[in-house]
């Protein structure tokens, strides 16, 4: 089996047209993808109020509801970070700015299949 070759620069339109047909193989750095997706989606700004509200409910006497909200916030955060490479690829295939940033900063590497 031959190793796929590095594609050099691939424009957004060519990437978007060639990705569904399998012309490119995309390698995503999971660590950088987690960080980028978390920042791009403002994940902490979404998760922290949910966890905070859960803690407040638990302190006010609704222990199970509060515990469920805290757990939901933590699970949502971890789920997004776990799926970050897939989310980044989805975002890059739809937004030229995300695609350019991801390819220029080493988050994603495009290879010819």
């Amino acid at each position: 089996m031959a190793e796929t070759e590095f594609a050099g620069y691939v424009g957004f339109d060519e990437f978007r047209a060639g990705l569904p047909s399998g012309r490119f193989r995309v390698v995503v750095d999971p660590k950088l993808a987690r960080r980028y997706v978390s920042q791009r989606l403002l994940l902490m700004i979404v998760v922290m109020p949910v966890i905070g509200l859960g803690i407040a409910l638990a302190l006010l006497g609704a222990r199970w509801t509060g515990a469920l909200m805290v757990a939901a916030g933590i699970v949502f955060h971890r789920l997004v970070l776990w799926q970050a490479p897939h989310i980044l690829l989805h975002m890059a295939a739809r937004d030229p700015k995300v695609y350019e940033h991801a390819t220029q900063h080493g988050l994603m590497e495009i290879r010819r299949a």
Side-chain angles (χ1 to χ4, degrees), residues 35-91:
R35 186 171 166 199
Y36 180 77
V37 167
S38 178
Q39 290 174 353
R40 178 80 180 189
L41 297 179
L42 303 172
L43 190 58
M44 291 308 291
I45 294 174
V46 173
V47 170
M48 290 307 288
V50 172
I51 293 173
L53 185 58
I55 291 171
L57 284 172
L59 291 174
L60 291 174
R63 289 191 173 121
W64 288 109
T65 306
L68 286 175
M69 287 190 71
V70 170
I74 293 170
V75 168
F76 177 72
H77 182 262
R78 291 191 184 208
L79 183 65
V80 169
L81 293 182
W82 180 54
Q83 292 293 320
H86 301 289
I87 294 169
L88 176 64
L89 182 59
H90 178 81
M91 290 169 39

Side-chain angles (χ1 to χ4, degrees), residues 7-16 24 99-100 103 110 112:
Y9 178 76
V10 176
F12 174 72
D13 293 328
E14 182 183 359
F15 172 74
R16 188 172 178 162
F24 300 111
Y99 173 75
E100 292 297 327
T103 55
I110 311 298
R112 299 217 184 264

